[in-house]
Amino acid sequence: AQSVTQPDIHITVSEGASLELRCNYSYGATPYLFWYVQSPGQGLQLLLKYFSGDTLVQGIKGFEAEFKRSQSSFNLRKPSVHWSDAAEYFCAVGRGFQKLVFGTGTRLLVSP
Amino acid sequence: SQTIHQWPATLVQPVGSPLSLECTVEGTSNPNLYWYRQAAGRGLQLLFYSVGIGQISSEVPQNLSASRPQDRQFILSSKKLLLSDSGFYLCAWGPRAGDSNQPQHFGDGTRLSIL
């Protein structure tokens, strides 16, 4: 069965520092991978997606993610974090007929 | 452009009362529609999805039901709420397609508290 693991429940990063959020997936076929961001009390906003091709994908708000098949990973990165990036981040893998399996999320805290 | 609306934003209900949450999509036709529940520390759990009017698939057995009376309307219901139904409920839509390579787009959610 498909699954997504986000090993870090919370991460604290200083403003201006770089960020990497980890995501590992388990999926038998070529995965379709997504990162979403959720601000408190809000719905989820799509940051970026990977379907095929270039394994480094660019998203909105300066985020990027790299697909590594050998490691079954799709880690999210940002070179310089802003205070407004504080939110919860979800990794997801697409499975049959447009259903998504989500990880449990990583809450990002940004310190001054 | 496409938009998705959910209401109410927050709801406080007593145990045993009925529930109706509504979700509507604008700017697209024949969308796939989804209801998720989000519990603290547990990510998002898919509850129901629908590929067309009157077509509902349930992902997990529960005290809830869903209906799709119109193409762009998706309703989550319960006849008698349980304490365990508390949570954050999210509606989402995705374009009709034959595979899983399309992202889903989410509403702003409904915070449901059962007392």
Side-chain angles (χ1 to χ4, degrees):
Chain A
Q2 300 87 355
S3 66
V4 177
T5 301
Q6 293 180 247
D8 303 306
I9 298 174
H10 297 100
I11 281 186
T12 300
V13 176
S14 298
E15 189 168 16
S18 63
L19 169 70
E20 183 168 30
L21 302 182
R22 296 183 290 165
C23 172
N24 292 96
Y25 66 89
S26 171
Y27 191 67
T30 302
Y32 301 111
L33 296 160
F34 308 87
W35 273 100
Y36 286 86
V37 60
Q38 183 181 32
S39 297
Q42 300 294 314
L44 277 69
Q45 181 183 22
L46 179 69
L47 283 176
L48 48 77
K49 58 192 178 188
Y50 170 79
F51 297 156
S52 64
D54 193 348
T55 56
L56 185 63
V57 294
Q58 303 297 322
I60 61 171
K61 305 185 180 186
F63 285 92
E64 66 177 27
E66 186 171 13
F67 169 60
K68 293 185 178 180
R69 184 185 298 274
S70 61
Q71 299 178 20
S72 297
S73 69
F74 188 55
N75 294 348
L76 182 72
R77 302 195 293 245
K78 186 169 184 178
S80 177
V81 168
H82 187 263
W83 64 267
S84 60
D85 293 324
E88 190 151 20
Y89 292 80
F90 292 92
C91 181
V93 61
R95 65 181 178 96
F97 206 74
Q98 280 200 70
K99 289 184 278 189
L100 299 181
V101 174
F102 286 85
T104 52
T106 297
R107 183 167 297 281
L108 173 65
L109 305 174
V110 180
S111 60
Chain B
S1 64
Q2 301 90 357
T3 57
I4 179 168
H5 303 280
Q6 267 187 261
W7 67 93
T10 59
L11 188 60
V12 181
Q13 292 284 96
V15 170
S17 64
L19 172 73
S20 180
L21 303 182
E22 191 162 343
C23 171
T24 59
V25 180
E26 297 177 356
T28 186
S29 297
N30 302 316
N32 290 337
L33 296 173
Y34 307 84
W35 277 112
Y36 290 88
R37 177 167 57 205
Q38 185 177 23
R42 298 187 62 185
L44 279 76
Q45 180 185 37
L46 178 62
L47 302 177
F48 301 95
Y49 70 95
S50 171
V51 301
I53 295 173
Q55 300 180 61
I56 309 295
S57 296
S58 175
E59 285 289 295
V60 293
Q62 58 211 317
N63 183 42
L64 303 168
S65 62
S67 62
R68 184 170 178 174
Q70 300 180 46
D71 180 48
R72 290 170 289 177
Q73 184 185 28
F74 205 24
I75 297 172
L76 184 69
S77 304
S78 174
K79 292 182 179 177
K80 278 187 168 184
L81 285 167
L82 306 172
L83 282 174
S84 58
D85 292 323
S86 292
F88 192 52
Y89 289 82
L90 288 158
C91 181
W93 75 271
R96 183 71 56 83
D99 57 35
S100 301
N101 65 350
Q102 298 297 325
Q104 294 174 16
H105 306 275
F106 288 79
D108 287 335
T110 295
R111 173 74 58 194
L112 176 63
S113 300
I114 310 300
L115 303 179

Short mmCIF file of all heavy atoms in Angstrom, two decimals, chain B residues 40-97:
data_model
loop_
_atom_site.label_atom_id
_atom_site.label_comp_id
_atom_site.label_asym_id
_atom_site.label_seq_id
_atom_site.Cartn_x
_atom_site.Cartn_y
_atom_site.Cartn_z
N ALA B 40 -5.36 16.25 14.59
CA ALA B 40 -4.06 16.75 15.03
C ALA B 40 -3.03 15.63 15.00
O ALA B 40 -3.24 14.55 15.55
CB ALA B 40 -4.15 17.33 16.43
N GLY B 41 -1.90 15.90 14.32
CA GLY B 41 -0.81 14.93 14.28
C GLY B 41 -1.06 13.71 13.42
O GLY B 41 -0.27 12.78 13.43
N ARG B 42 -2.15 13.73 12.66
CA ARG B 42 -2.47 12.53 11.87
C ARG B 42 -2.62 12.80 10.39
O ARG B 42 -3.05 11.97 9.65
CB ARG B 42 -3.74 11.88 12.42
CG ARG B 42 -3.60 11.41 13.85
CD ARG B 42 -4.81 10.63 14.29
NE ARG B 42 -4.98 9.41 13.49
CZ ARG B 42 -6.01 8.59 13.61
NH1 ARG B 42 -6.96 8.87 14.48
NH2 ARG B 42 -6.11 7.53 12.86
N GLY B 43 -2.30 13.99 9.97
CA GLY B 43 -2.38 14.28 8.54
C GLY B 43 -3.82 14.31 8.07
O GLY B 43 -4.75 14.52 8.85
N LEU B 44 -4.01 14.08 6.80
CA LEU B 44 -5.34 14.14 6.20
C LEU B 44 -5.81 12.73 5.87
O LEU B 44 -5.09 11.95 5.26
CB LEU B 44 -5.32 14.96 4.91
CG LEU B 44 -5.38 16.47 5.07
CD1 LEU B 44 -4.04 17.02 5.50
CD2 LEU B 44 -5.82 17.11 3.78
N GLN B 45 -7.03 12.46 6.24
CA GLN B 45 -7.63 11.17 5.94
C GLN B 45 -8.75 11.37 4.92
O GLN B 45 -9.68 12.16 5.17
CB GLN B 45 -8.19 10.54 7.22
CG GLN B 45 -8.83 9.18 7.01
CD GLN B 45 -9.47 8.66 8.28
OE1 GLN B 45 -10.04 9.41 9.05
NE2 GLN B 45 -9.37 7.36 8.50
N LEU B 46 -8.67 10.67 3.81
CA LEU B 46 -9.72 10.77 2.81
C LEU B 46 -10.95 10.04 3.30
O LEU B 46 -10.89 8.86 3.66
CB LEU B 46 -9.24 10.17 1.48
CG LEU B 46 -10.24 10.16 0.33
CD1 LEU B 46 -10.64 11.58 -0.06
CD2 LEU B 46 -9.66 9.42 -0.87
N LEU B 47 -12.09 10.73 3.33
CA LEU B 47 -13.34 10.14 3.79
C LEU B 47 -14.19 9.66 2.61
O LEU B 47 -14.67 8.53 2.61
CB LEU B 47 -14.13 11.17 4.61
CG LEU B 47 -13.46 11.77 5.83
CD1 LEU B 47 -14.36 12.82 6.47
CD2 LEU B 47 -13.08 10.69 6.82
N PHE B 48 -14.42 10.54 1.66
CA PHE B 48 -15.26 10.23 0.51
C PHE B 48 -14.69 10.88 -0.74
O PHE B 48 -14.04 11.92 -0.66
CB PHE B 48 -16.70 10.77 0.70
CG PHE B 48 -17.41 10.25 1.90
CD1 PHE B 48 -17.39 10.97 3.09
CD2 PHE B 48 -18.10 9.05 1.85
CE1 PHE B 48 -18.06 10.50 4.22
CE2 PHE B 48 -18.76 8.57 2.97
CZ PHE B 48 -18.73 9.29 4.15
N TYR B 49 -14.97 10.28 -1.88
CA TYR B 49 -14.71 10.96 -3.13
C TYR B 49 -15.84 10.66 -4.10
O TYR B 49 -16.55 9.65 -3.96
CB TYR B 49 -13.35 10.61 -3.71
CG TYR B 49 -13.20 9.21 -4.25
CD1 TYR B 49 -13.39 8.93 -5.61
CD2 TYR B 49 -12.82 8.17 -3.40
CE1 TYR B 49 -13.23 7.65 -6.09
CE2 TYR B 49 -12.67 6.89 -3.90
CZ TYR B 49 -12.86 6.64 -5.23
OH TYR B 49 -12.70 5.37 -5.72
N SER B 50 -15.98 11.57 -5.08
CA SER B 50 -17.08 11.46 -6.02
C SER B 50 -16.60 11.83 -7.42
O SER B 50 -15.93 12.85 -7.60
CB SER B 50 -18.22 12.40 -5.60
OG SER B 50 -19.21 12.46 -6.62
N VAL B 51 -16.97 11.00 -8.38
CA VAL B 51 -16.58 11.27 -9.77
C VAL B 51 -17.75 11.80 -10.59
O VAL B 51 -17.58 12.11 -11.77
CB VAL B 51 -15.99 10.02 -10.44
CG1 VAL B 51 -14.76 9.54 -9.67
CG2 VAL B 51 -17.03 8.92 -10.53
N GLY B 52 -18.93 11.92 -9.98
CA GLY B 52 -20.07 12.46 -10.71
C GLY B 52 -21.29 12.55 -9.81
O GLY B 52 -21.28 12.07 -8.67
N ILE B 53 -22.33 13.16 -10.35
CA ILE B 53 -23.56 13.34 -9.58
C ILE B 53 -24.07 11.99 -9.08
O ILE B 53 -24.19 11.03 -9.86
CB ILE B 53 -24.64 14.03 -10.44
CG1 ILE B 53 -24.19 15.45 -10.80
CG2 ILE B 53 -25.98 14.08 -9.71
CD1 ILE B 53 -25.11 16.14 -11.78
N GLY B 54 -24.35 11.93 -7.80
CA GLY B 54 -24.90 10.71 -7.21
C GLY B 54 -23.91 9.58 -7.02
O GLY B 54 -24.28 8.51 -6.53
N GLN B 55 -22.65 9.79 -7.41
CA GLN B 55 -21.65 8.72 -7.30
C GLN B 55 -20.71 9.03 -6.14
O GLN B 55 -19.96 10.00 -6.19
CB GLN B 55 -20.84 8.62 -8.59
CG GLN B 55 -21.67 8.30 -9.81
CD GLN B 55 -20.83 8.21 -11.06
OE1 GLN B 55 -19.94 7.37 -11.16
NE2 GLN B 55 -21.08 9.07 -12.02
N ILE B 56 -20.79 8.22 -5.10
CA ILE B 56 -20.00 8.44 -3.89
C ILE B 56 -19.26 7.16 -3.54
O ILE B 56 -19.85 6.09 -3.53
CB ILE B 56 -20.91 8.81 -2.69
CG1 ILE B 56 -21.86 9.95 -3.05
CG2 ILE B 56 -20.06 9.14 -1.47
CD1 ILE B 56 -21.19 11.27 -3.35
N SER B 57 -17.98 7.33 -3.24
CA SER B 57 -17.18 6.20 -2.75
C SER B 57 -16.67 6.54 -1.36
O SER B 57 -16.17 7.64 -1.14
CB SER B 57 -15.99 5.93 -3.67
OG SER B 57 -16.43 5.53 -4.94
N SER B 58 -16.82 5.60 -0.47
CA SER B 58 -16.39 5.80 0.91
C SER B 58 -15.05 5.10 1.12
O SER B 58 -14.88 3.95 0.72
CB SER B 58 -17.42 5.23 1.88
OG SER B 58 -16.95 5.32 3.21
N GLU B 59 -14.13 5.82 1.73
CA GLU B 59 -12.81 5.25 1.96
C GLU B 59 -12.71 4.53 3.29
O GLU B 59 -11.95 3.58 3.42
CB GLU B 59 -11.75 6.37 1.92
CG GLU B 59 -11.45 6.86 0.53
CD GLU B 59 -10.67 5.83 -0.28
OE1 GLU B 59 -9.53 5.51 0.08
OE2 GLU B 59 -11.23 5.32 -1.28
N VAL B 60 -13.41 5.00 4.29
CA VAL B 60 -13.33 4.39 5.61
C VAL B 60 -14.74 4.31 6.19
O VAL B 60 -15.55 5.20 5.98
CB VAL B 60 -12.42 5.18 6.56
CG1 VAL B 60 -10.97 5.11 6.09
CG2 VAL B 60 -12.85 6.63 6.68
N PRO B 61 -15.03 3.23 6.92
CA PRO B 61 -16.34 3.14 7.58
C PRO B 61 -16.44 4.16 8.70
O PRO B 61 -15.49 4.37 9.43
CB PRO B 61 -16.35 1.70 8.13
CG PRO B 61 -14.92 1.33 8.26
CD PRO B 61 -14.19 2.07 7.17
N GLN B 62 -17.58 4.80 8.79
CA GLN B 62 -17.69 5.85 9.80
C GLN B 62 -19.13 6.26 9.98
O GLN B 62 -20.03 5.71 9.35
CB GLN B 62 -16.88 7.05 9.34
CG GLN B 62 -17.33 7.58 7.99
CD GLN B 62 -16.16 8.18 7.25
OE1 GLN B 62 -15.33 8.90 7.80
NE2 GLN B 62 -16.05 7.88 5.97
N ASN B 63 -19.29 7.26 10.82
CA ASN B 63 -20.61 7.77 11.16
C ASN B 63 -21.08 8.85 10.20
O ASN B 63 -22.09 9.49 10.44
CB ASN B 63 -20.50 8.37 12.59
CG ASN B 63 -21.80 8.86 13.12
OD1 ASN B 63 -22.82 8.20 12.95
ND2 ASN B 63 -21.80 10.03 13.73
N LEU B 64 -20.37 9.05 9.12
CA LEU B 64 -20.67 10.13 8.20
C LEU B 64 -21.12 9.58 6.85
O LEU B 64 -20.84 8.43 6.51
CB LEU B 64 -19.41 10.99 8.00
CG LEU B 64 -18.81 11.60 9.26
CD1 LEU B 64 -17.43 12.17 8.96
CD2 LEU B 64 -19.73 12.67 9.83
N SER B 65 -21.78 10.44 6.08
CA SER B 65 -22.17 10.10 4.71
C SER B 65 -21.94 11.32 3.84
O SER B 65 -21.77 12.44 4.33
CB SER B 65 -23.63 9.66 4.64
OG SER B 65 -24.48 10.72 5.06
N ALA B 66 -21.91 11.10 2.54
CA ALA B 66 -21.72 12.21 1.61
C ALA B 66 -22.73 12.08 0.48
O ALA B 66 -23.21 10.99 0.17
CB ALA B 66 -20.30 12.21 1.06
N SER B 67 -23.04 13.22 -0.11
CA SER B 67 -23.94 13.24 -1.25
C SER B 67 -23.48 14.29 -2.24
O SER B 67 -22.80 15.27 -1.88
CB SER B 67 -25.38 13.51 -0.81
OG SER B 67 -25.47 14.79 -0.19
N ARG B 68 -23.84 14.06 -3.48
CA ARG B 68 -23.49 15.01 -4.56
C ARG B 68 -24.74 15.23 -5.39
O ARG B 68 -24.96 14.57 -6.40
CB ARG B 68 -22.34 14.48 -5.41
CG ARG B 68 -21.88 15.47 -6.47
CD ARG B 68 -20.60 14.97 -7.11
NE ARG B 68 -20.14 15.87 -8.17
CZ ARG B 68 -18.99 15.71 -8.81
NH1 ARG B 68 -18.18 14.71 -8.49
NH2 ARG B 68 -18.64 16.57 -9.76
N PRO B 69 -25.59 16.16 -4.95
CA PRO B 69 -26.86 16.38 -5.65
C PRO B 69 -26.71 17.15 -6.96
O PRO B 69 -27.57 17.03 -7.84
CB PRO B 69 -27.67 17.19 -4.63
CG PRO B 69 -26.63 17.86 -3.78
CD PRO B 69 -25.48 16.93 -3.72
N GLN B 70 -25.64 17.91 -7.09
CA GLN B 70 -25.37 18.65 -8.33
C GLN B 70 -23.90 18.46 -8.69
O GLN B 70 -23.08 18.06 -7.86
CB GLN B 70 -25.68 20.14 -8.14
CG GLN B 70 -27.13 20.43 -7.77
CD GLN B 70 -27.37 21.92 -7.60
OE1 GLN B 70 -26.94 22.72 -8.43
NE2 GLN B 70 -28.05 22.30 -6.52
N ASP B 71 -23.57 18.80 -9.92
CA ASP B 71 -22.22 18.54 -10.43
C ASP B 71 -21.13 19.17 -9.57
O ASP B 71 -20.07 18.58 -9.37
CB ASP B 71 -22.11 19.06 -11.87
CG ASP B 71 -20.74 18.81 -12.46
OD1 ASP B 71 -20.22 17.67 -12.35
OD2 ASP B 71 -20.15 19.74 -13.03
N ARG B 72 -21.38 20.37 -9.05
CA ARG B 72 -20.34 21.09 -8.34
C ARG B 72 -20.69 21.31 -6.87
O ARG B 72 -20.21 22.25 -6.23
CB ARG B 72 -20.08 22.43 -9.04
CG ARG B 72 -19.40 22.26 -10.39
CD ARG B 72 -19.35 23.54 -11.19
NE ARG B 72 -20.68 23.91 -11.67
CZ ARG B 72 -20.92 25.03 -12.36
NH1 ARG B 72 -19.95 25.90 -12.59
NH2 ARG B 72 -22.14 25.30 -12.78
N GLN B 73 -21.50 20.42 -6.32
CA GLN B 73 -21.90 20.53 -4.93
C GLN B 73 -21.66 19.21 -4.23
O GLN B 73 -22.06 18.14 -4.72
CB GLN B 73 -23.39 20.90 -4.84
CG GLN B 73 -23.89 21.12 -3.43
CD GLN B 73 -25.39 21.38 -3.38
OE1 GLN B 73 -26.14 20.90 -4.24
NE2 GLN B 73 -25.83 22.12 -2.38
N PHE B 74 -21.01 19.29 -3.07
CA PHE B 74 -20.66 18.08 -2.33
C PHE B 74 -21.02 18.33 -0.87
O PHE B 74 -20.62 19.35 -0.30
CB PHE B 74 -19.16 17.82 -2.48
CG PHE B 74 -18.75 16.39 -2.30
CD1 PHE B 74 -19.64 15.33 -2.51
CD2 PHE B 74 -17.44 16.07 -1.97
CE1 PHE B 74 -19.24 14.02 -2.39
CE2 PHE B 74 -17.03 14.76 -1.83
CZ PHE B 74 -17.93 13.73 -2.04
N ILE B 75 -21.79 17.43 -0.28
CA ILE B 75 -22.30 17.63 1.06
C ILE B 75 -21.85 16.49 1.96
O ILE B 75 -21.92 15.31 1.58
CB ILE B 75 -23.84 17.72 1.04
CG1 ILE B 75 -24.28 18.93 0.22
CG2 ILE B 75 -24.40 17.82 2.46
CD1 ILE B 75 -25.77 19.01 -0.03
N LEU B 76 -21.41 16.85 3.14
CA LEU B 76 -21.02 15.87 4.16
C LEU B 76 -22.07 15.90 5.27
O LEU B 76 -22.40 16.99 5.77
CB LEU B 76 -19.64 16.20 4.72
CG LEU B 76 -19.06 15.21 5.73
CD1 LEU B 76 -18.70 13.89 5.03
CD2 LEU B 76 -17.81 15.79 6.39
N SER B 77 -22.58 14.74 5.66
CA SER B 77 -23.70 14.71 6.60
C SER B 77 -23.49 13.65 7.66
O SER B 77 -22.69 12.73 7.51
CB SER B 77 -25.00 14.38 5.85
OG SER B 77 -25.25 15.30 4.81
N SER B 78 -24.25 13.84 8.73
CA SER B 78 -24.38 12.81 9.75
C SER B 78 -25.75 12.92 10.38
O SER B 78 -26.27 14.03 10.54
CB SER B 78 -23.30 12.97 10.83
OG SER B 78 -23.51 12.05 11.88
N LYS B 79 -26.32 11.80 10.76
CA LYS B 79 -27.63 11.83 11.43
C LYS B 79 -27.45 12.08 12.92
O LYS B 79 -28.27 12.73 13.57
CB LYS B 79 -28.36 10.51 11.21
CG LYS B 79 -28.78 10.30 9.77
CD LYS B 79 -29.53 8.98 9.62
CE LYS B 79 -29.96 8.80 8.17
NZ LYS B 79 -30.65 7.50 7.97
N LYS B 80 -26.34 11.54 13.48
CA LYS B 80 -26.10 11.68 14.92
C LYS B 80 -24.60 11.79 15.15
O LYS B 80 -23.87 10.81 15.02
CB LYS B 80 -26.61 10.46 15.68
CG LYS B 80 -28.07 10.43 16.01
CD LYS B 80 -28.38 9.24 16.92
CE LYS B 80 -29.76 9.36 17.51
NZ LYS B 80 -30.04 8.28 18.47
N LEU B 81 -24.14 12.95 15.53
CA LEU B 81 -22.72 13.17 15.71
C LEU B 81 -22.19 12.49 16.97
O LEU B 81 -22.87 12.42 18.00
CB LEU B 81 -22.42 14.66 15.79
CG LEU B 81 -22.49 15.42 14.46
CD1 LEU B 81 -22.50 16.92 14.70
CD2 LEU B 81 -21.33 15.02 13.55
N LEU B 82 -20.95 12.02 16.85
CA LEU B 82 -20.23 11.44 17.97
C LEU B 82 -19.09 12.39 18.37
O LEU B 82 -18.65 13.21 17.56
CB LEU B 82 -19.64 10.08 17.57
CG LEU B 82 -20.60 9.04 17.00
CD1 LEU B 82 -19.81 7.84 16.49
CD2 LEU B 82 -21.63 8.64 18.03
N LEU B 83 -18.61 12.21 19.58
CA LEU B 83 -17.47 13.03 20.01
C LEU B 83 -16.28 12.85 19.07
O LEU B 83 -15.56 13.79 18.77
CB LEU B 83 -17.05 12.66 21.44
CG LEU B 83 -17.92 13.21 22.57
CD1 LEU B 83 -17.45 12.63 23.90
CD2 LEU B 83 -17.87 14.73 22.60
N SER B 84 -16.11 11.65 18.57
CA SER B 84 -14.97 11.34 17.71
C SER B 84 -15.08 11.99 16.33
O SER B 84 -14.14 11.92 15.54
CB SER B 84 -14.84 9.83 17.54
OG SER B 84 -16.03 9.28 17.01
N ASP B 85 -16.21 12.61 16.03
CA ASP B 85 -16.36 13.30 14.75
C ASP B 85 -15.73 14.70 14.76
O ASP B 85 -15.67 15.36 13.72
CB ASP B 85 -17.84 13.43 14.37
CG ASP B 85 -18.47 12.09 14.05
OD1 ASP B 85 -17.78 11.23 13.45
OD2 ASP B 85 -19.65 11.88 14.40
N SER B 86 -15.28 15.13 15.90
CA SER B 86 -14.60 16.44 15.98
C SER B 86 -13.37 16.44 15.08
O SER B 86 -12.67 15.43 14.97
CB SER B 86 -14.18 16.73 17.41
OG SER B 86 -15.29 16.95 18.24
N GLY B 87 -13.12 17.58 14.47
CA GLY B 87 -11.93 17.68 13.62
C GLY B 87 -12.07 18.82 12.63
O GLY B 87 -13.01 19.60 12.68
N PHE B 88 -11.11 18.85 11.73
CA PHE B 88 -11.08 19.87 10.69
C PHE B 88 -11.40 19.17 9.39
O PHE B 88 -10.69 18.25 8.98
CB PHE B 88 -9.69 20.52 10.66
CG PHE B 88 -9.58 21.76 9.84
CD1 PHE B 88 -10.46 22.81 10.02
CD2 PHE B 88 -8.59 21.90 8.89
CE1 PHE B 88 -10.36 23.98 9.28
CE2 PHE B 88 -8.47 23.07 8.13
CZ PHE B 88 -9.36 24.10 8.33
N TYR B 89 -12.46 19.60 8.72
CA TYR B 89 -12.94 18.93 7.52
C TYR B 89 -12.62 19.79 6.30
O TYR B 89 -12.94 20.97 6.26
CB TYR B 89 -14.45 18.67 7.60
CG TYR B 89 -14.78 17.60 8.61
CD1 TYR B 89 -14.87 17.90 9.96
CD2 TYR B 89 -14.96 16.28 8.20
CE1 TYR B 89 -15.15 16.90 10.89
CE2 TYR B 89 -15.24 15.28 9.12
CZ TYR B 89 -15.33 15.60 10.47
OH TYR B 89 -15.60 14.61 11.37
N LEU B 90 -12.01 19.14 5.34
CA LEU B 90 -11.59 19.84 4.13
C LEU B 90 -12.25 19.23 2.92
O LEU B 90 -12.27 18.00 2.76
CB LEU B 90 -10.07 19.76 3.98
CG LEU B 90 -9.26 20.60 4.96
CD1 LEU B 90 -7.85 20.07 5.09
CD2 LEU B 90 -9.23 22.05 4.51
N CYS B 91 -12.74 20.09 2.06
CA CYS B 91 -13.26 19.68 0.77
C CYS B 91 -12.21 20.00 -0.29
O CYS B 91 -11.47 21.00 -0.16
CB CYS B 91 -14.55 20.44 0.48
SG CYS B 91 -15.35 20.03 -1.09
N ALA B 92 -12.11 19.19 -1.30
CA ALA B 92 -11.16 19.44 -2.37
C ALA B 92 -11.77 19.03 -3.71
O ALA B 92 -12.68 18.21 -3.76
CB ALA B 92 -9.86 18.66 -2.13
N TRP B 93 -11.26 19.61 -4.77
CA TRP B 93 -11.67 19.20 -6.11
C TRP B 93 -10.43 18.93 -6.95
O TRP B 93 -9.34 19.46 -6.69
CB TRP B 93 -12.55 20.26 -6.77
CG TRP B 93 -11.81 21.48 -7.26
CD1 TRP B 93 -11.54 22.61 -6.55
CD2 TRP B 93 -11.25 21.68 -8.56
NE1 TRP B 93 -10.84 23.50 -7.33
CE2 TRP B 93 -10.65 22.97 -8.58
CE3 TRP B 93 -11.21 20.91 -9.73
CZ2 TRP B 93 -10.02 23.48 -9.70
CZ3 TRP B 93 -10.57 21.43 -10.85
CH2 TRP B 93 -9.98 22.70 -10.82
N GLY B 94 -10.59 18.07 -7.94
CA GLY B 94 -9.54 17.80 -8.90
C GLY B 94 -10.15 17.66 -10.27
O GLY B 94 -11.31 17.27 -10.40
N PRO B 95 -9.40 18.01 -11.32
CA PRO B 95 -9.96 17.89 -12.67
C PRO B 95 -10.20 16.44 -13.02
O PRO B 95 -9.47 15.55 -12.58
CB PRO B 95 -8.89 18.52 -13.56
CG PRO B 95 -7.64 18.46 -12.76
CD PRO B 95 -8.03 18.52 -11.33
N ARG B 96 -11.23 16.19 -13.79
CA ARG B 96 -11.54 14.83 -14.19
C ARG B 96 -10.43 14.32 -15.10
O ARG B 96 -10.09 14.93 -16.09
CB ARG B 96 -12.87 14.80 -14.94
CG ARG B 96 -13.32 13.41 -15.33
CD ARG B 96 -13.76 12.61 -14.13
NE ARG B 96 -14.82 13.27 -13.36
CZ ARG B 96 -16.10 13.19 -13.67
NH1 ARG B 96 -16.49 12.51 -14.73
NH2 ARG B 96 -16.99 13.78 -12.93
N ALA B 97 -9.82 13.25 -14.70
CA ALA B 97 -8.72 12.69 -15.49
C ALA B 97 -8.61 11.21 -15.18
O ALA B 97 -9.16 10.74 -14.19
CB ALA B 97 -7.41 13.40 -15.19
#
